[in-house]
Amino acid sequence: MNRITGKARDETLIELKTATDFQPGEENNGHGLNSLSDNETSLPGHTETAILQPSKDTVFFRDGIRRIDFVLSYVDDKDGEKKQERRKEFEANLEKAGLELETEDKSDSDDGKTYFLKIHAPWEVLATYADVLKIKVPFKASDIPHAQDVPLEWLSRPFRLPEHIMHPEPDYFTSPFDKGKIDLFLINDKDTFFPPSTRNRIVFYILARCPYYKEDRKDKDKKGIKRLLSNGTYSAAFPVHDCRYWKRARNAECESERYNLYKNWARFLSFYKEQPLNLIRKYYGEKIGIYFAWLGFYTEMLFFAAVMGVICFTYGVLSYDDNVSSKEICDPSIGGTIVMCPLCDKKCSFWKLNSTCLSSWQSHLFDNEGTVFFAIFMGIWVTLFLEFWKRRQARLEYEWDLVDFEEEQQQLQIRPEFEIKCTDRRLNRITQEMEPYLPISSKCARFCLSGATVMFWMSLIVACIIGVIAYRLAVFAAFASIMKDSPTRKIQLVGSLITPQLATSVTASCINFVIIMILNFFYERVAIWITDLEIPKTHLEYENKLTMKMFMFQFVNYYSSCFYVAFFKGKFVGYPGKYTYMFGRLRNEECDPGGCLIELTTQLVIVMAGKQVWGNIQEALLPLMRNWWGSRKGRHQPENQYSRWEQDHDLLNFSQLGLFYEYLEMVIQFGFITLFVASFPLAPLLALFNNILEIRVDAWKFTTQFRRPVAAKARNIGAWQEILNVVAILSVVTNAFIMAFTSDMIPRLVYLYAYSRDIHTEATMRGYVNNSLSVFNISKIDAYSMPEDGESPIWFDSSTITTCRYRDYRYPPGHQREYSHTMQFWHILAAKMAFIIIMEHVVFVVKFFVAWMIPDIPSEVKARIKRERYLIQEYLHNYEVEKLKLQLSASFLTESRSQLCTEVPYAKEKHEVLSECL
């Protein structure tokens, strides 16, 4: 095959002559004419280059017929002899494999350095490898009727997209391609029979396996475009987009699917519309399609959780006036007469309970009877989400021909890094060929080093959390001292909300968030480094190992501070006269007077909302800025001379781990709205708003900022499904413990039904505040813990005020068991443990019952699969029978003709003999 460079003068003149053959008004779109370099444009009678040069914004070769299926780019550098030799052998082997190549010279590129190698796969190559890869193709129009219209379908019309966008292809029965049965399949046009996504997938399959060694050499492990990219022989390898995203392609033969995706999917104004999943799958492949299907379904299910969360929050608002405990705290005759013990040593003074009036009302918004119901609801919601997703996934498997799909061979191919680093060879029992392998001793050593690195970084996170805790303990006293004269109360609207507890909690949460983002930035690189250190053999193994390492780290990084506030803060404080200290100096932190639940809410909101805002900024602005800078030279060219391959080359590369980070972001968010949702019922609502934006931001990135990724198949979301299942089970446990130990719900219920009748004639919450506070003799407080001179408020008189109160259930001074836990403490503890056991068992029983009741595959899909298999077998059987009949008829006619030809001479001879006899 002759490769075209576009630099020889004779070839240029021939191309110009070809260009004159086009009729006026005809759309050539770059067909038949290559771009001219500066020294080739001065042709007689022409002063404008643009007059001679047709548009290079095309997806076809210069002949206007052969489609560009893949593009490789490279730059000649000083140390380029070895690379040039590799490219020469690699491209020669590509031609031997049947691919057709066309080169664009570096003088035609923006930077004057980059060569572009365009690759086209002809029909014979596509048919051969479609047979190898068992790609399913249509052979008969489907006669299975579609589901009938549902009642009130008109309500969903505003959310629907046009039919040609939602279903870009008719419904066919499909079968694995067989090159020997070409006439079986519905082939109207060989050039368009395989869609561009299938074509680039086949070409990438060839590129990944094509060697770059000479036949007389023995280093046959040198193969694949990935290894050539890693050693710098080529700078990029990508399929091209079919048009610019903001307008259709000029050539009618081009599908302009990118434009349709941008218009109907990637624009934010389409946020209320359904996603064109079939078009996404057709353009980007099943792997990306299944991600957006999962993200869309997750967002749909979040709507129901968000509605219930809003109802729970609304109940807290409406029951404001029924909150007896807050009324008692705010009452000057009750809360105003209760003197509380100092919350920290020296810098904190005695304070009155009614100073926490506002925080007690705030706490009631999230810590009320509706919270228990919502926690149970979320435990069931998680199960419904996972089970219904399995059903949606099964439907997509059927519609996208993934029912019999097994992992693609390229997912199981040996990684180039494995081939380079593993010098030992052994015989593969299956292929009977020598292949590289990693000795068990080296594998164990690498695994131990990797595990130690992971443990070190997790310990680093724990150390950072301890540092934040130490900060909280150290600055609380400072804030208390600064705010003792209440200078912040002069601030309008929010002045009364600012307390030492709130200031400490907010600043600590912000510092913790910054530490999380910094550690996350570094650990992403460390996780990739230690995964590379293990040298996984296949890409699938590499992705799974990286997934587990990243999720374990992110789990500890994002959730550890929430676990501390939920389950440790305020639980090991001690009591006046016998406080517990961290490092022997810092007194352990007590909960906010309104309870620890409101602090957990603050922590959750700052970390979750901060991550979502930062993530969206990072996802939207960084690609935009990089692409703007990378395409700065191309923008100065005439629009029709900014070639399609160079436009895509200036975009960001979509790496193999691109979807990994998208899944990781959403799974971390899933953990926030399930593990700690009992503390913040509005978390699903925040997640819903974020995901509506996330879908459009991701769609915008894929459509406008990234090169077109190689189409890949996937029938499910992979290892993330198991991670979601683990998080779902863990969420039931964490929410049960939050309701039992972080919330004040159980102590209130124990008082209401067990102790209030001892004080009042009926079950009531009156007197709960006084009942929940223990008494301590001020004279018994250590001098180290007493407020310094000048710290005590004006109203405090040590001669008249001899006792202070603190949150606990202990006997008062003078009792024979003074300061030891009362029986009510043990009753509450027993009630908490009973609540945990009952709630977990109820939710788990309902979860497993729901999972058992909802089949993973809808009965309709099962019936369709069986029906399709039956029809396919029947159709193939009839095809084979008809083919056999034709063969028998042809052989019968051949035999008849041969017999006729042998019988005619015999009859003539017999006639002559008879004549002689007569």
Side-chain angles (χ1 to χ4, degrees), residues 359 362-363 366 505 592 594-603 679:
S359 65
Q362 295 170 350
S363 179
F366 305 105
S505 181
D592 186 277
C596 273
L597 196 70
I598 191 67
E599 291 197 44
L600 178 59
T601 303
T602 304
Q603 180 76 24
S679 66

Side-chain angles (χ1 to χ4, degrees), residues 110 138 279 382 385 390 514 545 613 617 695 701:
D110 292 338
L279 186 58
V382 170
F385 163 63
K390 291 178 184 177
V514 173
K545 286 187 174 184
V613 172
I617 292 175
I695 290 174
K701 282 194 311 181

Side-chain angles (χ1 to χ4, degrees), residues 15-29:
E15 291 168 24
L16 290 173
K17 183 179 178 181
T18 306
T20 62
D21 295 338
F22 288 104
Q23 296 298 324
E26 214 174 47
E27 292 278 358
N28 55 29
N29 195 31

Side-chain angles (χ1 to χ4, degrees), residues 67 69 194-201 239 255 257 282 708:
R67 189 183 187 101
D69 296 316
F194 293 107
S197 58
T198 302
R199 296 175 69 99
N200 71 57
R201 178 182 155 210
E255 299 84 357
E257 290 174 346
K282 182 185 177 186
R708 186 174 184 173

Side-chain angles (χ1 to χ4, degrees), residues 582-597:
M582 177 184 288
F583 309 128
R585 296 180 57 189
L586 299 174
R587 185 170 129 189
N588 280 356
E589 195 176 11
E590 294 188 39
C591 284
D592 186 277
C596 273
L597 196 70

Side-chain angles (χ1 to χ4, degrees), residues 34 190 296 380 497 572:
N34 183 37
K190 290 184 177 180
I380 300 171
L497 301 178
F572 310 101

